[in-house]
């Protein structure tokens, strides 16, 4: 079962898609995915977390036409369902980063207010960035040569090197014995 205190601490460690990917691949920090939260706490709990982010967004942005409570109640299930349907690896930290970016104006100005399509667009943009980071990580991880790979070694040269090393070893033993 996920503890709220752990979730708060875990989500503070991630501020970019790159950090999210690096921490996920390093195994240093476990940040639950939206899918895991829905499984453990239920879909209504996840919707409540999304609604809390939207309420906070409304307060911080001081919009001329803020989202009403009814709009938030209608939007939260759609956002959660979009994340679950997309089968993307969105974590709670990623969701927090998405809303923090909106508060900082990364997604532009909100003259006419915000709606469900805006929030889903932010999620899709962030997921695209995160996928690009996964791809970059994957390319870096698998472009390094494997030190244990022997398929490219010339067998004849390898045999000659072995014979040379053995003859040197035998000479050294003979010199030590004399």
């Amino acid at each position: 079962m996920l503890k709220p205190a752990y979730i708060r601490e875990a989500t503070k460690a991630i501020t970019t898609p790159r950090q999210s990917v690096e921490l996920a691949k390093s195994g240093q920090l476990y940040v639950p995915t939206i899918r895991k939260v829905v499984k453990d706490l239920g879909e209504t709990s996840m919707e409540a977390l999304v609604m809390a982010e939207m309420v906070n967004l409304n307060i911080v942005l001081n919009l001329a036409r803020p989202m009403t409570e009814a709009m938030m109640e209608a939007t939260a299930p759609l956002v959660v369902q979009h994340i679950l349907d997309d089968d993307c690896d969105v974590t709670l930290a990623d969701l927090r980063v998405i809303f923090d970016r909106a508060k900082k104006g990364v997604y532009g100005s909100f003259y006419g207010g915000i709606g469900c399509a805006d929030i889903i667009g932010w999620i899709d943009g962030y997921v695209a960035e995160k996928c690009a980071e996964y791809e970059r990580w994957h390319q870096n991880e698998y472009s390094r040569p494997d030190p244990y790979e022997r398929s490219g070694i010339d067998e004849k040269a390898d045999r000659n090197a072995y014979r040379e090393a053995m003859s040197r070893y035998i000479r050294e033993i003979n010199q030590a014995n004399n």
Side-chain angles (χ1 to χ4, degrees):
M1 186 72 168
L2 298 170
K3 304 281 188 227
Y6 175 81
I7 292 170
R8 259 192 315 278
E9 289 304 312
T11 58
K12 287 180 185 176
I14 297 172
T15 58
T16 65
R18 172 171 275 169
Q19 286 178 336
S20 180
V21 170
E22 288 172 353
L23 282 173
K25 293 301 179 182
S26 72
Q28 293 174 347
L29 179 67
Y30 172 70
V31 180
T33 62
I34 302 300
R35 193 170 302 285
K36 175 75 171 151
V37 173
V38 168
K39 181 181 175 192
D40 287 353
L41 303 177
E43 205 164 320
T44 54
S45 296
M46 188 63 234
E47 290 168 8
L49 288 171
V50 170
M51 278 190 60
E53 287 290 345
M54 287 188 288
V55 167
N56 192 1
L57 186 68
N58 263 345
I59 292 168
V60 170
L61 292 180
N62 193 22
L63 298 169
R65 288 189 351 210
M67 290 182 84
T68 64
E69 188 174 332
M71 288 171 67
M72 287 185 235
E73 287 175 0
T75 300
L78 294 172
V79 168
V80 171
Q81 196 58 50
H82 178 74
I83 292 170
L84 295 175
D85 288 347
D86 251 357
D87 197 34
C88 49
D89 190 21
V90 177
T91 64
L92 288 177
D94 294 330
L95 196 61
R96 189 194 49 78
V97 170
I98 291 166
F99 280 98
D100 284 352
R101 283 179 163 191
K103 292 171 195 170
K104 293 175 186 174
V106 172
Y107 302 121
S109 299
F110 308 108
Y111 297 114
I114 55 174
C116 181
D118 297 319
I119 296 170
I120 289 174
W122 303 339
I123 292 169
D124 289 343
Y126 183 86
V127 167
E129 283 182 64
K130 190 170 177 180
C131 287
E133 288 299 329
Y134 268 118
E135 183 64 30
R136 188 174 297 121
W137 177 85
H138 184 74
Q139 291 298 327
N140 289 341
E141 187 69 22
Y142 293 105
S143 64
R144 289 184 240 153
D146 185 2
Y148 304 107
E149 177 64 42
R150 298 188 56 93
S151 65
I153 295 176
D154 181 15
E155 289 181 30
K156 195 173 191 179
D158 195 30
R159 238 176 301 151
N160 289 338
Y162 175 75
R163 285 186 189 133
E164 175 75 27
M166 285 304 292
S167 64
R168 214 175 316 126
Y169 174 72
I170 291 170
R171 274 188 302 231
E172 288 174 8
I173 288 181
N174 287 337
Q175 285 176 356
N177 289 337
N178 290 338

